[in-house]
Amino acid sequence: MIILLPPSETKRDGGDDNATLDYGQLSFPELTEERQAVSNALIELSGDPDAAQSALGISTKQLFEVERNRTLAVAPVMPALKRYTGVLFDGLDVASLTPEEWAFAEKCVVVHSALFGPIGAGDPIPAYRLSHNSKVPGVPLKRHWRASVTAALAAVEGLQLDFRSEAYAQLGATSPSSVYLRVVTEGADGKRVALSHFNKKSKGLFARALIRAGIDHDSIDSLLTWANGAGFRLEPGAPGELDLVVENA
């Protein structure tokens, strides 16, 4: 089983000062060439702060992100799941995981980065800024990633739980054995509506519960049985989807 998470735009600073980006240490090594192409283009773009600011869609106060990208190759690294911050990752609360729970996360959690493609929870990466809709000259991200990421994920056996946003799903499809998680609320009339504000937090809390339980689910039935016993209302939705029903409050 893999739990496929979206990345976040915000990243934690720092890392191991004695280690830098090594593509050979990243999961899905078949994506190395594509990773290098995006990284090199991003480093080159960052030599022109004005162009980089426009391409990344950031404000003047966020120009430190350009410097992060310029120093990608020499910056300190840390495990991916510890690098990302934001609402989803706050809910996941990786700092509180036990060694056993962290080992499970390293085995089962994958983050889909716009810069590196899918990477494992423990893969060492630098801080960077690149979103699914960033405009990198010469490297249109959707066209660059879609075929290779789709092939890489198709080769992963077992259940795939897709927590990504629809925007990141456009950078590569999951395998036929995947199921997309949609966070919804249910009105008094029984009609379900997708949530936006509580979407990321709910996904983070659900991912945390999966990691802490440490069960490598081999089927949707297994997942549904566990989830409902663990206090989550998880139900079949549209074909290929599961609805995580939460209170809109």
Side-chain angles (χ1 to χ4, degrees):
M1 176 184 74
I2 64 168
I3 303 165
L4 184 59
L5 301 179
S8 66
E9 291 189 343
T10 55
K11 317 288 190 303
R12 187 168 285 106
D13 287 321
D16 183 351
D17 291 328
N18 297 313
T20 56
L21 178 61
D22 180 354
Y23 296 101
Q25 294 189 41
L26 303 184
S27 304
F28 303 96
E30 64 270 31
L31 298 176
T32 296
E33 184 175 336
E34 286 85 354
R35 289 165 171 160
Q36 291 174 328
V38 181
S39 297
N40 290 340
L42 191 58
I43 291 170
E44 181 177 355
L45 171 66
S46 300
D48 183 339
D50 290 337
Q53 181 180 358
S54 176
L56 299 174
I58 58 176
S59 68
T60 302
K61 292 182 179 180
Q62 296 173 302
L63 282 176
F64 69 91
E65 302 278 20
V66 176
E67 179 63 13
R68 279 179 165 181
N69 289 345
R70 190 185 68 81
T71 59
L72 271 176
V74 296
V77 295
M78 71 170 63
L81 207 58
K82 298 180 180 180
R83 175 68 72 189
Y84 294 103
T85 61
V87 176
L88 187 153
F89 294 92
D90 288 345
L92 199 155
D93 192 14
V94 66
S96 69
L97 298 179
T98 66
E100 293 77 14
E101 291 163 354
W102 174 251
F104 182 83
E106 285 190 299
K107 175 185 175 185
C108 292
V109 175
V110 173
V111 182
H112 189 171
S113 161
L115 177 58
F116 300 115
I119 50 177
D123 290 2
I125 61 169
Y128 69 91
R129 179 62 178 254
L130 189 71
S131 301
H132 64 89
N133 58 351
S134 297
K135 310 296 184 184
V136 182
V139 187
L141 294 177
K142 289 182 183 178
R143 190 189 314 163
H144 180 80
W145 281 121
R146 187 178 293 118
S148 57
V149 168
T150 298
L153 293 176
V156 179
E157 297 180 353
L159 183 63
Q160 296 183 23
L161 309 180
D162 191 354
F163 287 42
R164 297 175 300 171
S165 64
E166 292 182 359
Y168 273 92
Q170 292 178 12
L171 298 184
T174 50
S175 77
S177 63
S178 71
V179 60
Y180 185 82
L181 182 72
R182 191 175 299 279
V183 181
V184 301
T185 188
E186 189 173 81
D189 59 358
K191 184 178 180 180
R192 293 182 177 180
V193 178
L195 289 180
S196 54
H197 182 66
F198 292 98
N199 174 50
K200 293 181 180 179
K201 179 180 179 180
S202 298
K203 286 180 176 178
L205 293 172
F206 190 57
R208 173 178 170 79
L210 283 165
I211 292 168
R212 298 198 72 180
I215 302 171
D216 191 352
H217 297 283
D218 59 2
S219 69
I220 293 174
D221 286 343
S222 171
L223 177 66
L224 290 170
T225 298
W226 166 81
N228 293 315
F232 293 96
R233 186 179 170 191
L234 186 70
E235 300 174 355
E241 297 182 359
L242 291 175
D243 287 349
L244 180 60
V245 186
V246 301
E247 295 292 332
N248 189 10

